[in-house]
Amino acid sequence: MNWIAMRHTLSLLLLLTAVHAFATPAKARQAKCLFEIDGAHYIGSPCEFTPIDKKGSFRIANTSGSGIEAEVKVTAPHEGIASWTGPHKTPRDWPLGKLRQAAGCWSDRTTYVCAWSLDQDIYLGPRDKKLFVAYGERDGMDDEIESAVGLDTSHAVIHTKPSRRAALYYTIGQTMGESYSQTAAEEAYQERAQSRNRTITADCQAKEWTGLNGLRYRLLGRIETVDRSQFVDSGDVAYAKWAVLDVKNNRLVDDCGACSYAEIHDWFKKLCPSIAPRDW
């Protein structure tokens, strides 16, 4: 075979190889996946992740046999259109609308289609407040419970750790799902990770506890049974049902939007579940 013929044959082989490689579907691999719609939890486990194109489009599929899949087709940098296949592989893809990317997650505040590497530290289970401790009043201002000992005793202790999952909800929720950056969720996580307040404690018998803000509180009883004249501002409380004393500042905590009343109760309830009031 002369050189010209050999070169032509080689070029043809290379072309056929390239066409074959382009036509071959991308191989699926294992990933950590999350798929939720309006609070309904469909995928939260290692799953099958399949890249679709060079733009970053992808599909995640539950490996438990449910047949549930979700897909994001990238339409612009960090923007895409999502759809999903319901349980038992229903014959059509249901549209989910436009989503924006926040690192490994795509969302519009109600839908979350997410995939992370297997070594990523992220909680994948259903969103359950029993597993988290609030450190602020906004959605997603939560730490994950790392350990809990002595609950309902005079030495109740809960240790927490920052949560990438909560940081994701916080980031997307605060920006209305429209203007957050791709790295915003990780930045929110890292910011929370710098906090030194990682522990809440309580003497449940004395009805006293410390929160993630480092302050100590005491439950005095129902608000109408307490003499409020001895406290700062004469114990001026407009909405709280129960009298909770901020010990350091000698101030009763009111149930207002920026008063952290709900978070303070959450700490006491997590530490002393059988003692904390239910009608808080």
Side-chain angles (χ1 to χ4, degrees):
M1 181 182 296
N2 61 38
W3 170 245
I4 296 177
M6 184 181 294
R7 187 172 62 180
H8 177 74
T9 301
L10 182 59
S11 298
L12 181 60
L13 288 173
L14 290 173
L15 177 61
L16 290 174
T17 300
V19 171
H20 176 72
F22 184 80
T24 301
K27 291 184 178 180
R29 61 177 182 269
Q30 288 287 297
K32 287 185 175 179
C33 298
L34 174 70
F35 176 44
E36 295 179 332
I37 306 174
D38 292 328
H41 189 76
Y42 292 102
I43 299 177
S45 64
C47 77
E48 192 175 77
F49 173 87
T50 306
I52 297 176
D53 58 33
K54 294 182 179 179
K55 294 181 179 180
S57 304
F58 66 94
R59 179 184 305 111
I60 59 174
N62 197 322
T63 57
S64 66
S66 68
I68 294 176
E69 298 180 353
E71 180 176 298
V72 174
K73 291 185 177 180
V74 176
T75 56
H78 315 310
E79 296 180 2
I81 297 177
S83 61
W84 73 299
T85 301
H88 311 300
K89 294 189 176 180
T90 51
R92 57 171 294 181
D93 289 334
W94 298 93
L96 294 171
K98 296 180 180 180
L99 308 182
R100 283 184 56 84
Q101 184 182 13
C105 200
W106 296 72
S107 178
D108 63 355
R109 292 186 75 200
T110 58
T111 296
Y112 294 83
V113 183
C114 314
W116 299 274
S117 61
L118 292 176
D119 61 355
Q120 185 71 277
D121 178 19
I122 189 161
Y123 170 69
L124 295 174
R127 195 176 188 186
D128 188 343
K129 290 190 175 182
K130 294 179 181 178
L131 305 177
F132 294 81
V133 175
Y135 64 84
E137 70 275 6
R138 297 180 180 178
D139 184 35
M141 284 186 163
D142 301 289
D143 285 345
E144 294 177 24
I145 294 177
E146 190 169 38
S147 64
V149 296
L151 302 185
D152 276 330
T153 74
S154 58
H155 299 286
V157 180
I158 292 177
H159 295 293
T160 73
K161 65 178 183 178
S163 171
R164 281 190 169 87
R165 177 79 166 272
L168 180 69
Y169 291 129
Y170 172 78
T171 299
I172 294 172
Q174 293 307 303
T175 56
M176 303 298 289
E178 295 176 357
S179 59
Y180 53 83
S181 69
Q182 185 184 1
T183 60
E186 183 63 19
E187 290 168 357
Y189 168 81
Q190 293 297 338
E191 181 178 353
R192 178 58 189 162
Q194 294 175 11
S195 172
R196 295 181 179 180
N197 293 326
R198 284 278 171 272
T199 302
I200 56 176
T201 64
D203 179 344
C204 297
Q205 306 310 314
K207 298 181 181 179
E208 293 188 357
W209 67 100
T210 57
L212 287 178
N213 58 4
L215 295 178
R216 188 158 189 84
Y217 300 92
R218 183 183 302 134
L219 179 65
L220 303 179
R222 295 193 70 89
I223 195 68
E224 64 270 15
T225 67
V226 174
D227 176 10
R228 291 184 264 172
S229 63
Q230 57 188 309
F231 306 116
V232 171
D233 296 331
S234 299
D236 184 22
V237 172
Y239 304 105
K241 292 181 180 179
W242 293 83
V244 176
L245 177 66
D246 173 347
V247 176
K248 177 181 178 180
N249 298 302
N250 193 36
R251 183 185 300 274
L252 295 182
V253 182
D254 203 0
D255 185 9
C256 65
C259 297
S260 298
Y261 188 81
E263 291 74 55
I264 293 167
H265 171 235
D266 183 58
W267 299 330
F268 187 40
K269 184 177 181 181
K270 291 288 195 317
L271 291 160
C272 311
S274 67
I275 298 173
R278 294 185 179 183
D279 62 336
W280 200 267

